[in-house]
Amino acid sequence: MLALSQDLELREFCTALNAGRTAEFMEGLDDADVWRVLQFAEPERRAEIFGYFDEDRQLAMLADEPAAETARLIEEIPADDRVDLIQGLPTQAVDEILPLLPTSERRDIERLRSYPEGTAGALMTTEVAKLAEKLTVSEAFDELAAIARDLETIYYLYIVDDNNLLRGIVSTRQLVSSLKHKSRTLGELMETDVVAALAGEDQESVAEKVERFNLLAIPVIDSGRQMLGIITHDDVIDVVREELTEDAQRIAAVEPFDDDFLRIGLFTLSYKRGLWLTILFFAALLTAFALRHYESELAVNAWLVWFIPLIISSGGNSGSQSATLVITAMTGGEVELSDLPKVLSRELRVAFMLGGFLAAFGFLVALFVAPSAVAAMVIPITLLGVIMCGCLCGVTLPILFKRLGLDPALMSNPFVAGIVDILGIVIYINVARLILG
Amino acid sequence: MLALSQDLELREFCTALNAGRTAEFMEGLDDADVWRVLQFAEPERRAEIFGYFDEDRQLAMLADEPAAETARLIEEIPADDRVDLIQGLPTQAVDEILPLLPTSERRDIERLRSYPEGTAGALMTTEVAKLAEKLTVSEAFDELAAIARDLETIYYLYIVDDNNLLRGIVSTRQLVSSLKHKSRTLGELMETDVVAALAGEDQESVAEKVERFNLLAIPVIDSGRQMLGIITHDDVIDVVREELTEDAQRIAAVEPFDDDFLRIGLFTLSYKRGLWLTILFFAALLTAFALRHYESELAVNAWLVWFIPLIISSGGNSGSQSATLVITAMTGGEVELSDLPKVLSRELRVAFMLGGFLAAFGFLVALFVAPSAVAAMVIPITLLGVIMCGCLCGVTLPILFKRLGLDPALMSNPFVAGIVDILGIVIYINVARLILG
């Protein structure tokens, strides 16, 4: 259509479908073409469609647009999203754009930018339905009718007094079901026990509240109960996704990073990984010293060497499983600190079953290579011991970490594995000593 | 208050706060007391508060209640939640309760129960605002006013024809902002390009749609576009949480399970873990054969043995990091199959930095134990090779798995580590051969 520059069709294309799908259809086009198509949409609509592209593409599209163009677009983007966008733009571009915006908008953007990443303040939007207590139901509807189209959500109305202090909340649902009593005031309808977030509050605890209370949006207030804005459900989903992804990364001993995997700088990435790899490297060095210490035993029974990787990886794997299960269970709120005894007793039994099972296999294999059936017993006994060790470390360390007030996910699988490696070798050689004399 | 049986205070306690918080305050009480307190709340309110306890406690509370009591409660619980609750109750209890419910409700429950776990049908609620196209804005408001309080959300109105076919959608926001044009019909207002889910659709793809289009709720239709119900944002958050938790578990080589970590049967758990542990065990066996094959080399240079765990764990750890990063990036939609070349070229450079860094440490250590500085070179060269191997396997295997249409998270860290272990030993010995001759 672009090629044939069928303006009408393009205008149609920008309006007929819902914005998200319009964006989806254009995924294939290159940035310049997308931008050209967007010019056929009304400013408001343009911003809406634009919002469905991921940040990379948004920034790419704006890269060589004149500041005026960008400013016009930014005016139409919801308050919370446009701040994220601006964070991504080169500073001198921002300095050109901001002056072009209406003062009120500029102030708003600057205030939102001032909140540090990961706080409620940085997530919130300031476009919210704030109404006065004394309004009647019908007055409220008229108010709403006037402001609705500029707001991200009107599903909760926030009741504030003249000093902008949050007094209560009325859901549109309540309002609608009170349509028959037009003269009742919002003050009578409102729920005064409002679940709110503080501007400085950590985004994970905000998400936790929204989930627990099944909210569509949560109001953000300052320490003085001043109503600052709201955080909407879509931002909450993003937080949950972010939180759990960071968990998974910590579990694998990577320092989490904000940026996309394909966008983060290679040196930063190497640092975030190297940090832990180095720690784990020195942990693993201990195994080298242990083995050196047991040199004589290994020299006499060379066949013991063959099973070293098998034994330490069995311990490490069972440990990783346990650690991951406990860490995810704690993130999901299924396991509390107080559950440690229960967790341990369950794990003990599971570990025994798993260890016994693999020990049996180990014995069969050992029979072929060990000098005698008695000597072969070294392998199953070690495996059972190492696997039980791995499982118990795996469940205990994260819970201990949590009790110490640290992030349990920091007690990553490789870390557990590292500890189990050393234990494994010590157990191995000592079992061997006992049995082979 | 219970002790003093201060009925008034208790009634007050059940109504003053919002339901979620009331439930929170009662977390401390034992099930019987909670239940007794709930008796002081209006049936509707009771169900609401009850809904905020986790399923275990809900079931515990109902355990020894007469069927009639339970039935009365269930009538008040939202359609989607009560089905989950009923799934948890013992069958004979269910058989007693269902007949006590109004026929319509019973049919509704039966139908919802018929959808398999993990499908849109199983998540949806049937309590939804369905309106006719021809209604005017003001008529729509009257309709809404009548039904609002029984619905979970009224934030979207679904426009259906006489055969209950989904024709379009109107957001309450649009409706409110059209208040001035009372005579316009829903047909004129409605968005006809509706994003919907099929009843049999997988819950993850439903969540993906809701996230992509920032929806508050998504309609569920059958293959004939019959409107069946809606899925609300709170259920979507749960799905996202579930999906990512399962990812983390697969990454650690545990078959995911639906049940809580503390509730799942020990044999099931052992099976879900043992399955993978056994596979990994046999993978590790190969290392034993490899080492046996290289027996002579190791006999001559016993000191090589000391570094075996260090080398394989370095490879395993860097591999786990890479795999986790790629898997989480794919789940988050940051990495597509087509990105493989880019991912590889980036990973290659990162791996080189990480490997070079650790190799340096390795060399220093080796200098102390190796017979000569030249011999010591075996360690750093091996480390560099193994770590680069680990990183490249780590990023490639999950992407390949995805291309094969399998879950990339199945290419778990221990699995990657297992492969890298063997490669590591082969690299190690051959480097040694080259250098030590």
Side-chain angles (χ1 to χ4, degrees):
Chain A
M1 287 196 286
L2 262 179
L4 309 166
S5 64
Q6 300 167 306
D7 301 11
L8 271 175
E9 286 77 352
L10 287 168
R11 209 165 273 113
E12 170 68 11
F13 168 71
C14 289
T15 46
L17 302 167
N18 80 47
R21 221 183 300 246
T22 314
E24 214 179 356
F25 278 122
M26 290 197 282
E27 278 300 340
L29 300 180
D30 65 37
D31 303 329
D33 288 343
V34 173
W35 187 254
R36 276 175 57 207
V37 175
L38 285 177
Q39 300 320 304
F40 290 94
E42 299 302 308
E44 198 181 327
R45 181 76 176 175
R46 185 185 308 151
E48 197 184 351
I49 301 173
F50 183 83
Y52 281 102
F53 289 95
D54 60 37
E55 213 186 325
D56 299 11
R57 294 207 66 174
Q58 294 183 339
L59 292 172
M61 283 187 241
L62 297 179
D64 26 59
E65 282 305 316
E69 274 301 308
T70 315
R72 200 168 310 124
L73 183 79
I74 282 177
E75 264 187 72
E76 300 289 342
I77 298 178
D80 50 348
D81 302 342
R82 68 182 170 199
V83 172
D84 302 339
L85 184 63
I86 286 176
Q87 307 285 29
L89 290 168
T91 0
Q92 97 278 13
V94 176
D95 299 341
E96 289 173 29
I97 294 162
L98 286 182
L100 299 173
L101 295 168
T103 330
S104 63
E105 311 248 320
R106 192 169 66 245
R107 286 231 190 74
D108 183 48
I109 290 174
E110 265 145 13
R111 196 165 72 263
L112 287 179
R113 279 173 83 190
S114 67
Y115 294 104
E117 270 287 320
T119 64
L123 279 180
M124 73 183 178
T125 176
T126 47
E127 292 155 341
V128 45
K130 288 195 251 178
L131 299 177
E133 234 176 296
K134 56 179 192 330
L135 290 185
T136 66
V137 169
S138 48
E139 288 167 336
F141 266 111
D142 300 340
E143 276 270 337
L144 270 187
I147 54 177
R149 60 171 44 268
D150 309 330
L151 298 178
E152 191 167 343
T153 98
I154 58 154
Y155 305 124
Y156 295 118
L157 317 179
Y158 298 93
I159 314 305
V160 293
D161 64 16
D162 311 345
N163 309 323
N164 188 38
L165 294 186
L166 179 59
R167 305 266 295 110
I169 178 175
V170 175
S171 74
T172 308
R173 179 168 155 202
Q174 282 168 282
L175 196 64
V176 168
S177 33
S178 319
L179 260 174
K180 273 171 250 48
H181 325 87
K182 292 210 180 324
S183 59
R184 292 186 65 185
T185 67
L186 297 181
E188 300 167 62
L189 288 179
M190 73 183 178
E191 167 110 61
T192 52
D193 173 38
V194 182
V195 180
L198 284 167
E201 192 169 337
D202 177 75
Q203 60 178 18
E204 290 185 13
S205 99
V206 176
E208 204 261 323
K209 282 180 183 169
V210 172
E211 275 186 87
R212 173 139 39 90
F213 296 105
N214 292 338
L215 305 173
L216 286 162
I218 186 169
V220 180
I221 56 178
D222 66 13
S223 46
R225 258 194 110 64
Q226 281 262 354
M227 174 83 185
L228 301 175
I230 58 168
I231 297 172
T232 50
H233 65 102
D234 51 328
D235 298 314
V236 171
I237 293 188
D238 298 342
V239 171
V240 170
R241 197 172 265 292
E242 196 180 314
E243 167 196 13
L244 289 168
T245 307
E246 287 186 358
D247 252 20
Q249 291 173 345
R250 286 212 188 81
I251 290 175
V254 182
E255 269 303 297
F257 39 84
D258 308 333
D259 220 339
D260 268 18
F261 178 57
L262 286 179
R263 262 195 296 159
I264 184 174
L266 293 183
F267 284 101
T268 326
L269 184 56
S270 306
Y271 169 76
K272 298 221 173 239
R273 297 177 54 168
L275 193 72
W276 275 100
L277 279 185
T278 315
I279 298 170
L280 296 166
F281 180 87
F282 283 103
L285 261 183
L286 297 178
T287 59
F289 290 119
L291 285 173
R292 186 181 186 188
H293 176 71
Y294 295 125
E295 189 172 8
S296 50
E297 284 82 355
L298 295 171
V300 187
N301 305 288
W303 65 277
L304 290 177
V305 172
W306 308 336
F307 289 93
I308 291 176
L310 177 70
I311 282 164
I312 65 181
S313 74
S314 301
N317 292 336
S318 40
S320 310
Q321 289 185 328
S322 310
T324 306
L325 287 171
V326 167
I327 292 168
T328 51
M330 283 197 288
T331 314
E334 297 167 18
V335 169
E336 306 297 332
L337 294 180
S338 52
D339 294 322
L340 182 53
K342 184 170 182 200
V343 171
L344 271 179
S345 77
R346 283 170 56 91
E347 193 66 18
L348 204 62
R349 281 170 280 170
V350 172
F352 189 78
M353 288 190 261
L354 294 173
F357 185 67
L358 293 182
F361 283 117
F363 184 57
L364 293 178
V365 179
L367 281 176
F368 291 100
V369 294
S372 74
V374 179
M377 284 302 295
V378 176
I379 303 304
I381 294 174
T382 307
L383 277 171
L384 181 61
V386 171
I387 289 170
M388 295 195 70
C389 239
C391 291
L392 296 182
C393 290
V395 292
T396 313
L397 294 176
I399 296 182
L400 282 183
F401 254 51
K402 177 133 189 198
R403 179 158 290 169
L404 295 175
L406 299 164
D407 178 347
L410 277 177
M411 183 42 64
S412 62
N413 292 346
F415 204 92
V416 170
I419 293 170
V420 177
D421 286 355
I422 302 157
L423 287 173
I425 285 169
V426 175
I427 295 174
Y428 189 26
I429 305 294
N430 285 299
V431 171
R433 273 188 179 158
L434 271 170
I435 292 182
L436 311 175
Chain B
M1 289 195 285
L2 265 177
L4 307 167
S5 64
Q6 300 167 306
D7 301 11
L8 271 175
E9 286 79 351
L10 287 169
R11 207 162 277 114
E12 170 68 11
F13 168 72
C14 289
T15 45
L17 302 167
N18 81 46
R21 224 188 292 250
T22 314
E24 216 178 355
F25 278 124
M26 290 197 284
E27 279 298 340
L29 300 180
D30 66 38
D31 303 328
D33 288 344
V34 174
W35 187 253
R36 274 176 57 205
V37 175
L38 285 177
Q39 300 321 303
F40 289 94
E42 298 303 309
E44 199 180 327
R45 180 74 175 177
R46 184 184 308 151
E48 198 184 349
I49 301 174
F50 183 82
Y52 281 101
F53 289 95
D54 60 36
E55 211 186 326
D56 297 11
R57 290 206 70 174
Q58 293 183 340
L59 293 171
M61 284 188 241
L62 297 179
D64 25 61
E65 283 306 315
E69 273 303 308
T70 315
R72 200 168 309 126
L73 184 78
I74 282 177
E75 265 187 73
E76 300 289 343
I77 299 178
D80 50 349
D81 303 341
R82 68 182 170 198
V83 172
D84 302 338
L85 184 62
I86 286 175
Q87 307 286 29
L89 290 169
T91 3
Q92 97 278 13
V94 176
D95 300 340
E96 289 173 32
I97 294 161
L98 286 182
L100 300 173
L101 295 169
T103 331
S104 65
E105 312 248 323
R106 189 168 68 247
R107 285 233 189 73
D108 184 48
I109 291 174
E110 303 283 5
R111 193 165 75 261
L112 287 178
R113 280 172 83 189
S114 68
Y115 293 103
E117 269 289 319
T119 63
L123 279 180
M124 73 184 176
T125 175
T126 46
E127 292 155 344
V128 45
K130 288 195 252 179
L131 299 176
E133 237 176 295
K134 56 179 192 327
L135 289 184
T136 66
V137 169
S138 47
E139 288 168 335
F141 267 111
D142 301 339
E143 275 270 336
L144 269 188
I147 53 177
R149 58 171 49 264
D150 310 331
L151 298 179
E152 194 168 342
T153 87
I154 59 155
Y155 306 123
Y156 295 120
L157 317 179
Y158 298 93
I159 314 304
V160 293
D161 64 15
D162 311 345
N163 309 323
N164 187 38
L165 294 187
L166 179 60
R167 305 265 295 109
I169 175 173
V170 175
S171 74
T172 309
R173 181 169 153 201
Q174 284 168 280
L175 197 66
V176 169
S177 32
S178 320
L179 260 174
K180 273 169 253 48
H181 324 87
K182 292 210 180 322
S183 58
R184 293 186 63 185
T185 67
L186 296 180
E188 301 168 63
L189 287 180
M190 72 183 179
E191 166 111 61
T192 51
D193 173 38
V194 182
V195 179
L198 284 166
E201 193 169 338
D202 177 77
Q203 60 177 18
E204 290 184 14
S205 99
V206 176
E208 204 262 322
K209 282 180 183 169
V210 172
E211 275 187 87
R212 173 138 40 88
F213 296 104
N214 292 337
L215 304 173
L216 286 163
I218 188 170
V220 180
I221 56 178
D222 66 13
S223 46
R225 263 195 101 67
Q226 282 262 354
M227 174 83 185
L228 300 175
I230 58 168
I231 297 172
T232 51
H233 64 103
D234 51 327
D235 298 315
V236 171
I237 293 187
D238 298 342
V239 171
V240 170
R241 200 172 262 294
E242 194 180 314
E243 168 195 12
L244 289 167
T245 306
E246 288 185 357
D247 253 19
Q249 291 172 345
R250 287 213 187 81
I251 291 175
V254 182
E255 269 304 297
F257 39 85
D258 308 333
D259 220 341
D260 269 17
F261 178 56
L262 287 178
R263 260 196 296 160
I264 184 176
L266 293 182
F267 285 101
T268 326
L269 184 56
S270 307
Y271 168 75
K272 298 220 172 239
R273 298 176 53 169
L275 192 71
W276 275 101
L277 278 186
T278 315
I279 297 169
L280 296 166
F281 180 87
F282 283 102
L285 260 182
L286 297 178
T287 60
F289 290 118
L291 285 173
R292 187 183 186 187
H293 175 71
Y294 294 125
E295 188 171 10
S296 50
E297 284 80 356
L298 294 171
V300 187
N301 305 286
W303 65 276
L304 289 177
V305 171
W306 309 335
F307 290 92
I308 291 177
L310 177 69
I311 282 163
I312 64 181
S313 73
S314 301
N317 292 336
S318 41
S320 311
Q321 287 185 330
S322 310
T324 306
L325 286 171
V326 167
I327 293 169
T328 51
M330 283 198 288
T331 313
E334 297 165 18
V335 168
E336 304 298 331
L337 293 180
S338 53
D339 294 322
L340 182 52
K342 184 171 182 197
V343 171
L344 271 179
S345 76
R346 282 170 57 90
E347 192 66 18
L348 204 62
R349 283 170 281 170
V350 171
F352 189 79
M353 289 191 260
L354 292 174
F357 185 67
L358 293 182
F361 282 119
F363 183 57
L364 293 178
V365 178
L367 280 176
F368 291 101
V369 293
S372 73
V374 178
M377 285 301 295
V378 176
I379 303 304
I381 294 173
T382 307
L383 277 170
L384 181 60
V386 171
I387 289 171
M388 295 193 71
C389 239
C391 292
L392 295 182
C393 289
V395 291
T396 313
L397 294 176
I399 297 181
L400 283 183
F401 255 50
K402 179 134 189 196
R403 179 158 289 167
L404 296 176
L406 299 164
D407 179 346
L410 276 177
M411 185 40 66
S412 63
N413 291 347
F415 203 91
V416 170
I419 293 168
V420 176
D421 285 355
I422 302 157
L423 287 173
I425 285 169
V426 175
I427 295 174
Y428 189 25
I429 305 293
N430 286 299
V431 171
R433 274 188 180 156
L434 272 170
I435 292 181
L436 310 175

